[in-house]
Amino acid sequence: MAPRRPAELYRAPFPLYTVRLHPRRPPAITAGGGGAAKTGIRNGVHFLQLEQIGGRLSASLLHSHDTETRATMTMALADDIIAAGQDASCHILRFSLRAPEATSGSAGRNGSGEKGLRKRKGPGPAAQGETQSRTSEVTVESLHSVRTDFSPDALQKAVRFNADCSLLVTGGADGFLRLWEFPSMKKTLEFKAHDGEIEDIALGPDNKVVTAGRDFQCCVWQHDQLVTGLRWNENLPGIPDKAYRYQACRDSGTFLGLGTVTGSVAIHVAFSLQRLYYVKEAHGIVVTDVAFVPESRRGRELLAGNEAALLSVAVDSRCKLHLLPSRRSLPVWLLLLLCAGLIVATILLLQLAFPGFL
């Protein structure tokens, strides 16, 4: 049976390009915008509160951070630090979040939902007219900004922290990979990794860097030395260079989440690539990023019995939720009982076939 259409978790007032979920802290962070063009479309980073309400995962706006004329195209998280790709630069932001406080009665400072206020009718007496408002103080400060791309149409397209957050790696439209010490943002390495744009970056535990480029190549680098490479259409001669391709790919460790340029979203088993979930044209337009609800204590609370949850964002301004229900499996005790029964049955059959077997 095909999965139901994904629920719309959140709709922003601008195109969305990136989404990240903190592994331990409450907010989901999504960002985008209309860029520098004077179209009236804003640019911003939105902090969302995710919670289970009535058995369904819900999102509400905690805070909207204005990024002026710069649309955020890429993001990486390291605890309370955001590395945001905006135009040709990487902007380092720090956010702080104070736990929400429950009050009843008054509506609070701001009825728009911006800057932290959320209003929702609660159960019991509140459902008869009393409202509960919970405020969460989110503050964002800018720490640093460095230029990370120098092409004529400069744009940072990918950014990642390494495991201990001592390095930041960026890639952009000029095809150069750049490594930066963090938090000093001193550039330590720069080299040409691809002919054309770098689409995505991943870092291994030994600081090997994997890059995927618009030139259809995927490369593994140790410092600036190519360890191995793959041209993923080389074994498919019938596939043209402007073929249908994946736009966003994320790995939870157990599952692989994919978004395509046609708006479709899929979830695969990471080690076997068995497809467990697929919705054609979930957005109907290019999927710009996907992110799994983390496999942490906080994440398990949000999953509410589902095996995985994937968020996808697109230039249609929507953040959608893709749920993978838990697959049915036999409990361990029943498997052991079946194995024991099979062994006993085998012995009995052998005794019948070969009297005196025992």
Side-chain angles (χ1 to χ4, degrees):
M1 184 174 64
R4 293 185 301 173
R5 300 298 297 179
E8 183 178 302
L9 195 62
Y10 179 70
R11 185 182 299 188
F14 45 70
L16 292 174
Y17 296 113
T18 181
V19 61
R20 292 289 180 270
L21 286 93
H22 199 285
R24 295 176 302 278
R25 303 184 66 182
I29 304 172
T30 188
K38 296 181 179 180
T39 60
I41 300 176
R42 299 173 61 184
N43 301 285
V45 178
H46 281 191
F47 294 79
L48 308 179
Q49 175 72 33
L50 299 181
E51 55 191 338
Q52 283 286 339
I53 298 178
R56 298 180 61 183
L57 189 61
S58 174
S60 52
L61 182 64
L62 288 176
H63 179 75
S64 175
H65 173 66
D66 184 18
T67 56
E68 300 174 348
T69 61
R70 307 179 306 275
T72 301
M73 307 298 292
T74 58
M75 281 194 305
L77 286 183
D79 198 23
D80 59 352
I81 297 295
I82 301 173
Q86 298 173 3
D87 299 332
S89 300
C90 185
H91 291 254
I92 306 300
L93 310 173
R94 175 187 287 136
F95 70 92
S96 61
L97 174 68
R98 190 175 71 185
E101 300 174 353
T103 60
S104 63
S106 64
R109 295 179 300 175
N110 185 336
S112 66
E114 298 281 324
K115 304 299 181 185
L117 181 63
R118 299 183 301 139
K119 295 168 64 176
R120 184 178 287 115
K121 288 188 176 181
Q128 301 175 11
E130 181 184 4
T131 63
Q132 291 185 340
S133 64
R134 296 194 292 172
T135 60
S136 179
E137 295 294 335
V138 180
T139 58
V140 182
E141 60 177 321
S142 180
L143 301 181
H144 208 23
S145 175
V146 294
R147 182 159 184 171
T148 57
D149 191 86
F150 294 88
S151 60
D153 297 318
L155 181 66
Q156 179 182 297
K157 301 206 66 179
V159 58
R160 293 288 180 272
F161 285 102
N162 68 344
D164 63 4
C165 302
S166 62
L167 287 175
L168 186 70
V169 184
T170 63
D174 60 5
F176 276 80
L177 193 70
R178 295 177 173 90
L179 279 71
W180 312 81
E181 288 182 355
F182 189 81
S184 68
M185 293 305 291
K186 176 184 176 182
K187 186 165 60 179
T188 62
L189 187 62
E190 176 182 37
F191 63 93
K192 181 79 168 178
H194 288 273
D195 293 326
E197 301 179 8
I198 294 178
E199 293 280 10
D200 208 352
I201 296 172
L203 278 81
D206 55 356
N207 284 337
K208 283 189 174 72
V209 181
V210 183
T211 59
R214 184 66 67 88
D215 57 4
F216 276 76
Q217 294 202 52
C218 182
C219 303
V220 181
W221 305 91
Q222 185 74 61
H223 300 294
D224 59 352
Q225 300 300 308
L226 181 65
V227 177
T228 187
L230 167 69
R231 187 173 177 87
W232 58 72
N233 65 341
E234 61 186 0
N235 296 320
L236 300 170
I239 304 297
D241 282 350
K242 293 183 179 179
Y244 175 103
R245 63 187 176 89
Y246 292 112
Q247 174 69 14
C249 175
R250 292 292 174 264
D251 189 346
S252 72
T254 305
F255 301 106
L256 190 70
L258 300 172
T260 74
V261 294
T262 60
S264 303
V265 176
I267 300 175
H268 296 249
V269 177
F271 73 90
S272 67
L273 295 184
Q274 176 190 359
R275 192 169 75 184
L276 303 177
Y277 174 99
Y278 177 74
V279 176
K280 184 178 180 181
E281 298 180 356
H283 287 271
I285 197 168
V286 58
V287 176
T288 48
D289 204 0
V290 294
F292 279 101
V293 171
E295 296 178 353
S296 61
R297 183 181 64 83
R298 168 67 177 168
R300 288 191 295 272
E301 293 173 357
L302 295 175
L303 288 175
N306 291 290
E307 198 163 358
L310 182 74
L311 272 59
S312 64
V313 295
V315 293
D316 61 2
S317 305
R318 292 165 171 82
C319 177
K320 293 196 173 183
L321 173 66
H322 309 268
L323 293 174
L324 182 64
S326 295
R327 291 166 288 175
R328 294 179 181 177
S329 59
L330 295 175
V332 175
W333 66 266
L334 182 56
L335 288 175
L336 293 175
L337 184 62
L338 290 174
C339 289
L342 183 60
I343 292 171
V344 171
T346 302
I347 293 173
L348 292 176
L349 288 174
L350 288 172
Q351 178 64 24
L352 289 174
F354 305 100
F357 172 74
L358 294 177

